[in-house]
Amino acid sequence: LVVDDNAQNRALAQATLEDEGYEVLLADSGEAGVQAVQEHRPDCVLLDVRMPGTDGFAVCARIRALPDGSDTPIVFLTAHGDIEMAVAAMKAGAVDFLVKPFRTQALLDAVFAALERDRVRRNQQESLSSLRERFNALTLREKEVLLLVAAGWLNKQIALDFGISETMVKVHRANGLRKMH
């Protein structure tokens, strides 16, 4: 998603990215950018800092406040950048901060880094979701046993604490580990 009030800058970024095979959405204002993030959940946002109405930092804050927008990689673009603005962008979680006119390769590198960050984040979310599903499939006793095993407890300590045999602890442990993969 390219969010920029300047039509020429939007067209240049769009052409550059489409030449590399990326699908590009365009927004001509901060409000339109926030709406596009809500509707399309883009993998990366190229966001102009200085726009009439809502500036890029306010748009970034609104995207971060969205349920699915908090992790959206953002690359800030500006024609009037300074060190303070670059620092503010990085504190806002920007992947990169580019000054217009940007070099084509710099833009592509920033987008690639942003997309890679998003890919890693999505893989981690999938893994965590899968892990949660497997953990929720455990019985209460399997959960209790595995949590104590993870805390370093021995089978005989767990058996004594629960008032069950060490053999039953081993059964719950084995079943839990098998279900967790």
Side-chain angles (χ1 to χ4, degrees):
L1 171 64
V2 178
V3 183
D4 196 320
D5 62 314
N6 183 300
Q8 196 172 18
N9 289 334
R10 283 193 314 272
L12 177 60
Q14 180 180 23
T16 300
L17 295 170
E18 285 180 346
D19 283 349
E20 294 296 318
Y22 294 112
E23 181 181 334
V24 181
L25 299 171
L26 301 175
D28 61 0
S29 70
E31 292 299 320
V34 172
Q35 185 175 353
V37 170
Q38 288 175 312
E39 292 175 7
H40 302 286
R41 182 63 175 104
D43 297 326
C44 171
V45 176
L46 299 177
L47 181 58
D48 187 19
V49 174
R50 291 190 180 174
M51 295 181 286
T54 309
D55 75 358
F57 291 113
V59 172
C60 178
R62 289 188 52 202
I63 290 171
R64 296 283 183 242
L66 296 172
D68 289 339
S70 62
D71 295 327
T72 303
I74 295 176
V75 175
F76 280 99
L77 306 169
T78 187
H80 309 286
D82 57 25
I83 293 172
E84 290 175 9
M85 191 181 289
V87 169
M90 292 307 169
K91 284 183 177 180
V95 174
D96 210 335
F97 183 86
L98 302 176
V99 178
K100 300 177 202 172
F102 50 80
R103 289 184 1 257
T104 301
Q105 192 58 50
L107 178 70
L108 293 173
D109 290 346
V111 168
F112 179 78
L115 294 174
E116 180 61 19
R117 181 183 289 183
D118 192 59
R119 185 192 63 75
V120 167
R121 180 193 56 80
R122 288 176 194 240
N123 287 344
Q124 288 172 340
Q125 281 182 331
E126 286 178 26
S127 295
L128 186 58
S129 177
S130 176
L131 189 60
R132 280 191 184 117
E133 285 178 22
R134 291 193 304 263
F135 186 76
N136 289 334
L138 299 175
T139 66
L140 178 61
R141 183 61 79 179
E142 290 166 348
K143 288 177 185 177
E144 293 170 334
V145 168
L146 287 184
L147 289 172
L148 292 176
V149 167
W153 287 39
L154 301 173
N155 288 341
K156 59 184 167 186
Q157 292 172 311
I158 297 170
L160 183 63
D161 190 59
F162 289 149
I164 60 176
S165 71
E166 196 173 333
T167 303
M168 282 309 301
V169 170
K170 289 178 181 178
V171 168
H172 291 305
R173 180 181 180 155
N175 287 340
L177 291 174
R178 179 181 45 76
K179 290 178 183 178
M180 290 299 294
H181 299 183

